[in-house]
């Protein structure tokens, strides 16, 4: 029998126990905040029917969907003439009826439509699950990665947007981040700007270009706008908007003047003002979310998708792309026949947040710690004596291991070190005789003689 060399598919990775503890720390922190704001967790299958996913992400997105071959003799039922064409695009639907989910949004829309008679609207859900994309793997880009989403559907209220600002603030603050910006814009404002210069049909081209302002500068944006069908005159009109600065209030006042003749633009400004007012009221006892919220006209993520407010979160403590984003969408469920159901959602970039916390050394010691106590094992008598002690500590909620076989103490302490176990309980003949166990602090080296009750009191 040939031996297969172990390997991973490109774009995937293993997570060590230490990494999993840290990842779960991030997920648990975010989930706790979601629940506090009334969001309930759901899960959807890793695979969906291919027809559910196809056509929802554009032509480029469709190419990145991982298809699953039908089980059994999947080629046997395919027309030979079709096979002879060697056209994989045409053959796919005949040999593959299922696919791995590309994101959590389309499965969520499918879930809402299928369960519309069982759920109460507005429906607030969060979901933390992996997704798969047949992308070209590179640094920071994987074919399997987790998304961490929260959405509310069935409510047009801008209070939802304001609460998402607070959710971002609270979750990221709880993770130890101090300096981050929650950027906000509105699709209607961008539509108003395109309308103002008489190019409403080029709104996507306009926003794709101005979205790159921080990467290529004003000259680069101007050059790209010219290539996309705008004139020098258009660009002169756009410059004051693109380079909008000042406080949020000053930016809004400037936009009101620029977009005075655009009904849709003024509607977008009104929505932004409403969100700011809600955030201000909600943050009366902690004004920080108000100071972190920044109106950014160059923000244009997912423009074909979003219809109202758009969010993006960036940390200012390390060089990193966005660590979160989202926005308001109308008719999310229309693709499955349930029309006019508005919604708004946000996502946390858990992998990027992990890298930020690692770089800033913000993971608490407990996030790298699994087992709290190791009980030594010197011989059969000590092992038998240790068993009830082991269960007493576990019953008290202390993660405890008994070294599984009698061996030299040096090896057992080395095991505790390798697993970052902070305490070792030593049980020898003397300890068994007087009932006082030796508790060794692995960090300081300090040793104390304590009974089990005292050890539990010290460690809980």
């Amino acid at each position: 029998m040939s031996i297969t060399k172990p390997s991973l598919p490109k774009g995937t990775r293993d997570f060590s126990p230490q990494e999993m503890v840290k990842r779960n720390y991030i997920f648990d922190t975010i989930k706790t905040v979601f629940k506090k704001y009334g969001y309930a967790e759901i899960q959807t299958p890793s695979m969906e029917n291919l027809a559910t996913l196809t056509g929802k992400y554009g032509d480029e997105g469709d190419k990145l969907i991982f298809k699953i071959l039908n089980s059994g003799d999947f080629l046997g039922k395919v027309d030979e003439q079709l096979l002879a064409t060697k056209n994989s695009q045409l053959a796919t639907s005949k040999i593959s009826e299922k696919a791995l989910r590309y994101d959590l949004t389309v499965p969520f829309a499918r879930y809402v439509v299928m369960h519309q008679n069982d759920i109460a609207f507005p429906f607030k859900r969060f979901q933390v699950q992996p997704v798969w994309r047949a992308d070209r793997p590179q640094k920071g880009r994987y074919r399997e990665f987790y998304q961490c989403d929260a959405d509310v559907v069935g409510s047009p209220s801008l209070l939802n947007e304001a609460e998402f600002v607070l959710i971002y603030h609270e979750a990221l603050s709880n993770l130890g981040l101090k300096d981050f910006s929650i950027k906000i814009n509105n699709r209607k404002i961008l539509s108003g700007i395109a309308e103002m210069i008489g190019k409403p049909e080029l709104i996507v081209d306009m926003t794709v270009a101005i979205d790159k302002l921080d990467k290529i500068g004003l000259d680069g944006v101007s050059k790209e706008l010219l290539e996309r069908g705008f004139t020098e005159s258009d660009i002169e009109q756009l410059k004051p908007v693109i380079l909008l600065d000042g406080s949020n209030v000053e930016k809004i006042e400037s936009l009101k003047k620029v977009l005075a003749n655009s009904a849709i633009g003024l509607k977008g400004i009104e929505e932004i003002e409403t969100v700011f007012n809600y955030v201000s009221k909600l943050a009366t006892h902690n004004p920080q979310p108000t100071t972190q919220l920044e109106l950014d006209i160059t923000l244009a993520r997912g423009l074909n998708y979003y219809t109202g407010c758009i969010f993006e979160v960036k940390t200012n403590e390390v060089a990193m792309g966005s660590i979160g984003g989202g926005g308001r969408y109308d008719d999310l469920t229309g693709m499955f026949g349930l029309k006019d159901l508005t919604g708004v959602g946000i996502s946390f970039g858990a992998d990027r947040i992990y890298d930020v916390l690692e770089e800033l050394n913000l993971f608490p010691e407990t996030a790298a710690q699994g087992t709290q106590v190791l009980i030594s094992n010197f011989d059969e008598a000590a092992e038998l004596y240790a068993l009830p002690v082991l269960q007493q500590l576990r019953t008290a909620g202390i993660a405890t291991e008994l070294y599984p076989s009698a061996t030299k103490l040096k090896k057992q302490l080395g095991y505790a070190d390798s697993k970052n176990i902070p305490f070792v309980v030593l049980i020898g003949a003397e300890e068994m005789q007087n009932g006082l166990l030796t508790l060794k602090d692995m960090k300081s080296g300090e040793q104390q003689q304590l009974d089990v009750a005292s050890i539990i009191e010290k460690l809980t």
Side-chain angles (χ1 to χ4, degrees):
M1 188 180 79
S2 63
I3 296 172
T4 304
K5 184 182 176 183
S7 63
L8 279 171
K10 283 183 180 177
T12 66
R13 55 202 160 141
D14 291 322
F15 294 110
S16 68
Q18 293 83 358
E19 288 170 319
M20 280 310 303
V21 172
K22 291 177 177 179
R23 285 173 68 80
N24 284 331
Y25 165 72
I26 292 172
F27 291 141
D28 291 345
T29 301
I30 295 170
K31 283 181 178 183
T32 299
V33 179
F34 283 159
K35 289 174 185 174
K36 186 174 168 182
Y37 283 78
Y39 287 78
E41 185 169 18
I42 68 163
Q43 291 201 341
T44 58
S46 299
M47 68 179 91
E48 294 277 348
N49 289 323
L50 181 57
T52 298
L53 304 177
T54 306
K56 311 303 189 298
Y57 310 105
D59 291 341
E60 288 306 306
D62 280 355
K63 290 175 188 172
L64 302 183
I65 295 172
F66 272 113
K67 286 85 175 175
I68 299 170
L69 290 175
N70 294 341
S71 53
D73 182 13
F74 56 84
L75 282 180
K77 298 170 187 172
V78 181
D79 183 86
E80 285 191 22
Q81 285 183 308
L82 178 59
L83 286 176
T85 66
K86 294 189 177 180
N87 186 322
S88 57
Q89 296 288 92
L90 292 174
T92 298
S93 62
K94 305 295 182 186
I95 62 175
S96 171
E97 294 168 4
K98 295 176 286 294
L100 293 176
R101 62 168 172 254
Y102 176 90
D103 70 356
L104 298 179
T105 306
V106 170
F108 171 54
R110 191 259 318 142
Y111 177 95
V112 170
V113 175
M114 286 186 70
H115 297 271
Q116 59 185 291
N117 297 322
D118 311 317
I119 57 182
F121 291 102
F123 180 51
K124 301 170 85 168
R125 86 80 168 89
F126 73 86
Q127 208 169 338
V128 179
Q129 287 187 277
V131 299
W132 293 267
R133 294 183 187 177
D135 220 336
R136 181 176 294 173
Q138 53 185 280
K139 183 175 170 55
R141 180 175 290 175
Y142 300 96
R143 287 176 166 172
E144 178 186 67
F145 56 96
Y146 271 72
Q147 288 192 335
C148 188
D149 289 9
D151 290 78
V152 51
V153 291
S155 168
S157 172
L158 293 165
L159 178 59
N160 297 305
E161 277 86 338
E163 287 202 334
F164 277 139
V165 172
L166 269 70
I167 286 172
Y168 270 135
H169 163 76
E170 190 167 334
L172 296 175
S173 297
N174 290 353
L175 289 168
L177 297 182
K178 291 181 173 63
D179 185 8
F180 53 90
S181 302
I182 304 167
K183 295 176 181 287
I184 188 171
N185 195 10
N186 195 294
R187 160 70 192 248
K188 295 180 178 76
I189 293 176
L190 294 167
S191 296
I193 294 166
E195 193 176 84
M196 171 196 79
I197 58 171
K199 297 270 174 47
E201 74 285 357
L202 293 181
I203 179 174
V204 174
D205 295 275
M206 179 190 82
T207 49
V208 165
I210 66 173
D211 199 29
K212 298 176 184 173
L213 183 66
D214 58 344
K215 296 185 186 78
I216 61 177
L218 184 60
D219 289 344
V221 171
S222 299
K223 186 180 174 208
E224 190 161 326
L225 286 168
L226 287 170
E227 289 168 359
R228 288 176 176 270
F230 291 86
T231 66
E232 291 283 2
S233 171
D234 296 334
I235 293 167
E236 283 306 309
Q237 280 186 278
L238 278 173
K239 274 183 185 175
V241 177
I242 297 172
L243 300 174
L244 200 64
D245 60 5
S247 68
N248 290 327
V249 172
E250 288 167 341
K251 287 177 183 175
I252 286 170
E253 290 310 311
S254 297
L255 284 171
K256 281 180 180 175
K257 290 172 188 167
V258 172
L259 300 175
N261 296 319
S262 169
I264 192 166
L266 292 175
K267 178 65 177 168
I269 294 168
E270 182 190 323
E271 289 182 5
I272 288 283
E273 282 190 299
T274 301
V275 173
F276 282 159
N277 289 334
Y278 274 136
V279 171
S280 179
K281 292 286 185 189
L282 288 165
T284 304
H285 299 293
N286 179 7
Q288 204 174 353
T290 312
T291 58
Q292 288 166 334
L293 190 57
E294 178 191 333
L295 175 57
D296 184 352
I297 293 304
T298 66
L299 176 60
R301 53 183 297 131
L303 196 68
N304 292 333
Y305 184 69
Y306 295 120
T307 54
C309 287
I310 311 164
F311 295 106
E312 189 166 273
V313 184
K314 290 195 172 180
T315 173
N316 303 315
E317 295 177 77
V318 297
M320 182 69 67
S322 67
I323 56 172
R328 166 74 61 175
Y329 43 78
D330 290 330
D331 206 23
L332 170 75
T333 53
M335 62 181 91
F336 298 116
L338 183 60
K339 293 286 184 187
D340 303 322
L341 196 64
T342 186
V344 58
I346 58 167
S347 184
F348 283 83
D351 291 299
R352 284 184 174 179
I353 290 171
Y354 184 104
D355 292 341
V356 171
L357 298 191
E358 196 75 279
E359 191 170 331
L360 296 174
N361 198 25
L362 287 175
F363 284 109
E365 278 189 33
T366 51
Q369 178 192 312
T371 303
Q372 200 172 349
V373 177
L374 175 71
I375 300 177
S376 67
N377 190 339
F378 291 125
D379 53 35
E380 190 177 343
E383 181 178 274
L384 290 172
Y385 186 95
L387 290 175
V389 176
L390 173 68
Q391 287 311 103
Q392 276 181 273
L393 293 174
R394 285 175 174 169
T395 301
I398 299 166
T400 310
E401 290 181 50
L402 170 65
Y403 197 82
S405 53
T407 188
K408 291 177 181 176
L409 179 61
K410 184 179 179 183
K411 186 175 181 181
Q412 297 185 46
L413 293 179
Y415 175 80
D417 261 339
S418 70
K419 287 193 71 175
N420 200 28
I421 299 173
F423 295 97
V424 175
V425 169
L426 305 172
I427 302 177
E430 185 185 332
E431 283 83 2
M432 286 189 282
Q433 193 172 356
N434 64 24
L436 292 175
L437 312 181
T438 301
L439 181 70
K440 180 180 177 70
D441 184 323
M442 292 296 288
K443 199 169 186 179
S444 67
E446 180 190 343
Q447 295 189 173
Q448 290 178 276
Q449 297 270 306
L450 300 166
D451 60 23
V452 177
S454 300
I455 290 174
I456 289 171
E457 189 179 339
K458 181 178 175 65
L459 299 182
T460 53

